[in-house]
Amino acid sequence: MNHPNPRPFPHAFVGLLLSVFLFAAPVRALNLITNDTFISDTDPWSLQLAYGCAATLSNDNGWGRVAITTGGSSKSSVNLQHTLRETLVNGVTYTIAFDVRADASKSIDALVRTAAGSVIGGSYGIAVTPATARHTLTYTHTAADAVDARLSFRVGGDTIAVSVDKVVFARQGLSSQLLTRNTDGTWTFNTLSVGGKTWNAGAYDFSYAGYNYGEREVFVDIPVATQTISAVANEDITDKLNAALAALPNGGTVLIPAGTFRVGAGKIGNAVNVTTDNTVIKGAGMGVTILKVDPSYHSHATASSRQSATFGTGVITFSKPSSSSWLYGGTATTATATVPLGARAITVADATSFSAGSFVVIRQIMWQSFVQAYAYNTDYAPRSFRWTNYDASNNPLFTDKGNSFCYYRKVLSKTGNTLNLDVPIPHELNPANMPVSVAALHVASLRNCGMQDLTFTADPETGAAFELSLGTTVMIKGLHNGLFKNIDIDSFRSLGFGTDYPVNVSFLNCSASNAIHCGTGGAGYGFYIKGQNLLFKNCTAINLRHGYTTAAPQTNNVVIKNCTSIDYRFNTNITTGESVDDSHLQFAHGILWDNHYSKDAGLLLTNRGPLSSDAYETCGWSIVWNYENEGFNTKSSTNNDLRHNFLGVTPAEFGLVVGAHAGEGPAGIRVNDGYSRTPPAFSLVWGTAVTSSTLHVGPTANRVLYERTGTPVAESIYDIQFAQRAKLLTTSGDITVDNSDSASVVSTGTWTSSTFSPGYLGSNYAHDGNTGKGTKTFSFKPAIPTAGNYLVYARWTADVNRASNVPVDIVETGGSVSTVTVDQQANNNTWVLLGVFPLSPTNAEIKIRTTGTNGYVIADGVRVIPQ
């Protein structure tokens, strides 16, 4: 009997990790407090007690509760403290913020202390009551850099219990030389000249990645028709799922109830097929609806073919026949001028066959000088050019469409022979190098589909040897416009999520954990990424070999934002191989790693040489923005560099590394343009650890711009670009109401107009002055044209002094009220989705209340969008 690798993370613990790392990882990169919400336990918080004093520290529903039984003679007799995770830097200003309450009114101190105990900042005499209050302090460190400084709450002097939560000790004013914040809250991307080259982090706009260009995080345009699966526990529901999908010929939702069911029993290849547009498979929630991949499922009938089949089939597959082959195109016209990086227009010889709404495939096959520069190997003579096809006489042809820059785009409008496109082009296309073709999409793509609120598990494959189970859990092929939300693949065979050239797809709050097979030949991949305009947001990869892997030149405009990688491993019998997030096959480009967190896992964007089907330069260009790495991977038997889990970036063309940060571990952050992994030696020549914060380029070929080691940079490229584009996002039927629209707003109590915090909608925003709690409301009344379901958004200027618990009432058709609580300390100047609600022309209202709020309440604007 075969057994899977030990799974150190059972489902319940994965859920905890999701809550801790998935959502806390971006904060960890900026907050010097590592357990800001006390969510798991109280460590690394500790109590210091004066002689004769007694108190206990416990987790009270996420609060750190100090229960004092003997409080001593002063506040300093009982001290709750936390050693800061980074050195305090001379001249830098920090924000200290926390929620606090006590069983009865008392006074406490919040102090900054050196490792030796000397007080160097903070505030004395903070009044605390049983009502929760948020306090915000600032501290400028004016002494020498302080290692192991501490935040201390002095709470002694009596026997009253004190509780603390949401503690932040964050560096203020972090910025990059590549960015300038304007007085209106927008950002300017600066062009800099370093190392003889010019650099601009905003040369390409990543904000179009994802479902509906990242503008929607809920399904839209899904028919109301539903099919509900009826099954008993542990029943195989594969046939029932396929039957339910067939019963929705025009799309709709297949609902799977709470419970644990099996899928794939006795099936080969695609066990469950979604082939109809506008179709969703939905469970009752992660950990509530669990689908277990049956051991008898096989990716292919022939054992020798199962490895390759895993990259094209799945237990659940979203695809129309041949939809992933869109990159091969059809009859074409050609471009007549160069298309620059980031352009959204292309001029062609003849545009008569295209119109607004047309889908086109833009392609440039790789040309001889390009291939010679990046994938030429004389060891393979007479076929030394690796990225091309050959004739019978071994002459390279450079006609293979698979070796091409290739982009799937929608035509928004046409001006003469110029086509205006929906998404920018992430690589320069110069017809002087090779013709640039533009062809109508020649296959039928599956459109507007996805999956939500499910957990998958898997046991080893029947008949497979230890660590050789094969199969993909979820495969997405050629899907255009898809959403996968709250999908937890708690264990899988060799691939968790496989993508085969989908376009404009979002993965939100998804996880891939506990690979059964982490061996050679493409196994142990959580998110195997081949596609474009993809958004991975708040996703987690745990106990895998490769969590996030980008592959192929048709893979581009990929955003990996606020994601987490934890505890990567090798095959049990392979103790010196790589276990990293990485780029794998030729020239994936336009990859943004934005606020990524790794622990016992690394990030490798390098030249793989002739590995992986002649990969060579596997990363064309990329941006790594605010990357944090910590831990030392003990799963390697040798002290190799990959064990150190650092960031290795050496792209073919260019790369930006901004805010890379090594929290722990000996290797640090390394930049080396000359890195190459060439067998048989597999030499690991990484260059030296970068320790200077000076803006500079990599040492060999000046291809990587590096800035700010150990200093995470506030903001994110994706957030900035999306927020600036979102101000212009209005389509037919969208209704926006600003706080200054007097005909559409009603307020009670005194609200103050302000322009103090930039980035607001319109000419100003309103706030409640943090007074009169419960007596003030601010209502937006959009002019709804017809009754129906609407997406409701709100926005505000966020800050640490804002309320984190603002109730927003949505008055629905018929008069019922739904209340959503929003945190106005987060999501600065972005449209935040409150939900989908039925609204009526007669009574639609979005009301902001101040009842029980713990800070300033902001009213800036709302937007409603018909679903």
Side-chain angles (χ1 to χ4, degrees):
M1 180 177 180
N2 295 323
H3 297 278
N5 285 331
R7 295 189 206 156
F9 302 115
H11 178 78
F13 189 53
V14 170
L16 175 62
L17 283 170
L18 286 174
S19 64
V20 176
F21 290 106
L22 191 70
F23 303 105
V27 177
R28 286 177 61 89
L30 301 174
N31 192 1
L32 277 62
I33 302 296
T34 58
N35 190 359
D36 55 338
T37 63
F38 298 86
I39 193 168
S40 57
D41 53 37
T42 53
D43 290 338
W45 294 92
S46 62
L47 287 177
Q48 277 190 334
L49 303 175
Y51 178 77
C53 293
T56 59
L57 172 62
S58 63
N59 179 351
D60 179 18
N61 293 316
W63 288 74
R65 179 178 174 85
V66 181
I68 305 170
T69 53
T70 305
S73 59
S74 68
K75 287 180 284 185
S76 62
S77 298
V78 180
N79 182 28
L80 173 64
Q81 71 174 13
H82 182 301
T83 299
L84 302 178
R85 69 194 312 265
E86 295 178 19
T87 299
L88 295 182
V89 179
N90 176 263
V92 171
T93 299
Y94 298 86
T95 293
I96 306 168
F98 53 92
D99 287 350
V100 65
R101 66 190 183 201
D103 289 353
S105 296
K106 67 170 294 169
S107 173
I108 71 169
D109 304 331
L111 305 176
V112 185
R113 298 166 58 195
T114 65
S118 300
V119 176
I120 53 177
S123 180
Y124 294 89
I126 299 171
V128 180
T129 70
T132 298
R134 186 155 188 85
H135 295 270
T136 301
L137 320 171
T138 59
Y139 165 66
T140 301
H141 188 67
T142 57
D145 292 359
V147 179
D148 293 334
R150 300 162 188 180
L151 174 63
S152 297
F153 293 106
R154 292 179 172 176
V155 297
D158 49 37
T159 57
I160 297 169
V162 179
S163 298
V164 181
D165 194 14
K166 297 180 181 176
V167 184
V168 174
F169 197 121
R171 183 168 178 155
Q172 275 193 353
L174 296 182
S175 62
S176 165
Q177 296 173 67
L178 292 160
L179 286 170
T180 299
R181 188 160 192 167
N182 305 314
T183 56
D184 64 354
T186 62
W187 294 82
T188 296
F189 289 92
N190 302 318
T191 299
L192 303 178
S193 179
V194 185
K197 296 178 63 175
T198 57
W199 308 84
N200 188 305
Y204 182 77
D205 187 352
F206 286 95
S207 71
Y208 294 87
Y211 181 61
N212 281 283
Y213 310 111
E215 298 164 23
R216 302 291 187 269
E217 295 191 350
V218 296
F219 289 103
V220 295
D221 298 326
I222 303 297
V224 296
T226 61
Q227 288 284 312
T228 301
I229 302 298
S230 177
V232 299
N234 295 315
E235 178 182 349
D236 185 272
I237 62 171
T238 307
D239 292 339
K240 289 184 176 180
L241 279 173
N242 284 323
L245 291 166
L248 297 171
N250 299 311
T253 304
V254 175
L255 299 172
I256 309 175
T260 299
F261 312 102
R262 291 181 299 119
V263 288
K267 301 297 183 181
I268 294 173
N270 298 323
V272 176
N273 291 271
V274 178
T275 59
T276 302
D277 294 348
N278 307 312
T279 299
V280 176
I281 296 176
K282 191 174 187 297
M286 290 195 302
V288 180
T289 300
I290 301 173
L291 302 183
K292 187 173 184 178
V293 179
D294 194 87
S296 63
Y297 165 78
H298 297 300
S299 60
H300 194 277
T302 304
S304 61
S305 300
R306 288 173 186 164
Q307 173 62 43
S308 60
T310 61
F311 292 91
T313 62
V315 178
I316 295 184
T317 295
F318 291 78
S319 179
K320 286 187 176 178
S322 302
S323 61
S324 61
S325 64
W326 59 261
L327 62 158
Y328 295 102
T331 304
T333 184
T334 56
T336 58
T338 297
V339 181
L341 169 69
R344 292 181 57 198
I346 183 169
T347 301
V348 297
D350 182 5
T352 56
S353 61
F354 305 112
S355 60
S358 296
F359 290 95
V360 297
V361 176
I362 301 168
R363 178 190 306 103
Q364 184 177 40
I365 295 174
M366 294 176 175
W367 53 100
Q368 180 167 334
S369 61
F370 179 88
V371 176
Q372 186 151 10
Y374 297 116
Y376 182 77
N377 190 336
T378 55
D379 291 343
Y380 287 80
R383 298 193 171 193
S384 298
F385 292 95
R386 309 310 301 152
W387 296 345
T388 184
N389 53 331
Y390 286 82
D391 64 17
S393 299
N394 293 321
N395 298 308
L397 298 175
F398 302 102
T399 59
D400 180 11
K401 296 176 180 179
N403 293 300
S404 67
F405 296 99
C406 191
Y407 310 103
Y408 182 125
R409 295 294 185 267
K410 182 179 181 179
V411 177
L412 298 180
S413 63
K414 181 175 69 171
T415 305
N417 283 330
T418 298
L419 305 178
N420 300 305
L421 309 172
D422 60 339
V423 177
I425 301 297
H427 198 274
E428 180 184 275
L429 305 176
N430 185 349
N433 294 321
M434 182 71 84
V436 178
S437 68
V438 182
L441 184 68
H442 74 294
V443 297
S445 290
L446 180 66
R447 301 186 188 279
N448 195 36
C449 293
M451 193 158 52
Q452 184 174 342
D453 299 334
L454 286 164
T455 288
F456 290 88
T457 65
D459 282 331
E461 181 182 12
T462 299
F466 181 65
E467 285 245 41
L468 289 178
S469 293
L470 297 168
T472 298
T473 301
V474 178
M475 174 59 67
I476 303 111
K477 301 180 65 174
L479 170 64
H480 178 234
N481 217 28
L483 174 61
F484 294 81
K485 184 176 181 180
N486 301 334
I487 303 299
D488 172 19
I489 300 181
D490 184 44
S491 57
F492 61 90
R493 293 185 186 174
S494 50
L495 271 70
F497 295 90
T499 57
D500 191 21
Y501 303 118
V503 180
N504 284 99
V505 177
S506 291
F507 296 82
L508 307 178
N509 305 333
C510 292
S511 66
S513 309
N514 302 314
I516 296 171
H517 177 16
C518 277
T520 56
Y525 295 9
F527 298 87
Y528 185 74
I529 304 167
K530 291 174 72 173
Q532 55 189 248
N533 312 336
L534 307 180
L535 172 62
F536 297 82
K537 183 177 177 182
N538 295 341
C539 294
T540 300
I542 305 173
N543 192 30
L544 315 174
R545 181 181 170 204
H546 300 299
Y548 308 84
T549 291
T550 54
Q554 295 81 25
T555 296
N556 47 74
N557 191 26
V558 175
V559 177
I560 301 170
K561 173 179 164 51
N562 290 3
C563 293
T564 301
S565 305
I566 303 171
D567 197 46
Y568 285 4
R569 65 179 175 85
F570 317 126
N571 182 305
T572 304
N573 299 317
I574 303 174
T575 58
T576 58
E578 75 275 18
S579 54
V580 290
D581 299 321
D582 64 352
S583 55
H584 243 42
L585 300 177
Q586 50 167 314
F587 228 84
H589 57 285
I591 314 298
L592 172 62
W593 292 82
D594 197 345
N595 286 316
H596 191 70
Y597 170 74
S598 294
K599 181 175 176 59
D600 292 341
L603 177 57
L604 190 64
L605 308 176
T606 60
N607 177 5
R608 287 176 61 89
L611 294 174
S612 298
S613 302
D614 298 325
Y616 290 92
E617 294 284 2
T618 60
C619 180
W621 69 271
S622 66
I623 297 178
V624 180
W625 194 268
N626 281 346
Y627 173 81
E628 181 180 9
N629 183 297
E630 61 179 317
F632 187 93
N633 198 327
T634 60
K635 296 180 177 65
S636 171
S637 63
T638 60
N639 192 26
N640 58 48
D641 278 327
L642 288 172
R643 185 181 185 186
H644 292 183
N645 304 313
F646 54 80
L647 170 66
V649 178
T650 161
E653 294 181 339
F654 68 91
L656 301 176
V657 179
V658 176
H661 171 64
E664 297 176 11
I669 302 299
R670 302 187 179 213
V671 176
N672 182 2
D673 289 346
Y675 171 81
S676 181
R677 252 190 108 197
T678 304
F682 295 102
S683 59
L684 297 169
V685 182
W686 292 91
T688 57
V690 176
T691 58
S692 169
S693 61
T694 303
L695 196 68
H696 58 282
V697 297
T700 303
N702 295 355
R703 292 199 298 262
V704 182
L705 179 72
Y706 186 85
E707 183 186 33
R708 290 184 181 275
T709 294
T711 306
V713 180
E715 306 293 341
S716 81
I717 293 294
Y718 177 83
D719 283 349
I720 291 170
Q721 292 181 331
F722 187 84
Q724 296 188 171
R725 181 170 69 89
K727 290 186 177 182
L728 307 176
L729 292 179
T730 55
T731 59
S732 177
D734 292 7
I735 303 163
T736 301
V737 183
D738 182 59
N739 65 287
S740 298
D741 294 340
S742 57
S744 300
V745 299
V746 176
S747 62
T748 60
T750 300
W751 290 79
T752 303
S753 297
S754 177
T755 59
F756 182 80
S757 297
Y760 43 79
L761 183 70
S763 58
N764 57 48
Y765 61 92
H767 65 78
D768 71 338
N770 201 18
T771 61
K773 297 301 185 181
T775 67
K776 301 181 181 183
T777 64
F778 199 104
S779 292
F780 298 86
K781 296 189 174 183
I784 303 298
T786 58
N789 289 330
Y790 288 79
L791 294 99
V792 178
Y793 293 81
R795 62 180 292 142
W796 50 83
T797 57
D799 206 337
V800 292
N801 68 351
R802 309 302 199 230
S804 62
N805 58 344
V806 180
V808 182
D809 296 337
I810 297 92
V811 180
E812 303 177 358
T813 301
S816 60
V817 177
S818 292
T819 301
V820 178
T821 301
V822 300
D823 181 358
Q824 292 193 339
Q825 295 177 11
N827 298 309
N828 185 43
N829 298 321
T830 60
W831 289 109
V832 177
L833 179 66
L834 305 183
V836 180
F837 304 93
L839 302 181
S840 166
T842 60
N843 66 339
E845 180 180 359
I846 297 95
K847 178 189 291 186
I848 297 174
R849 293 187 285 112
T850 64
T851 305
T853 51
N854 56 11
Y856 284 83
V857 175
I858 307 300
D860 188 18
V862 301
R863 175 172 290 170
V864 296
I865 302 172
Q867 189 177 28

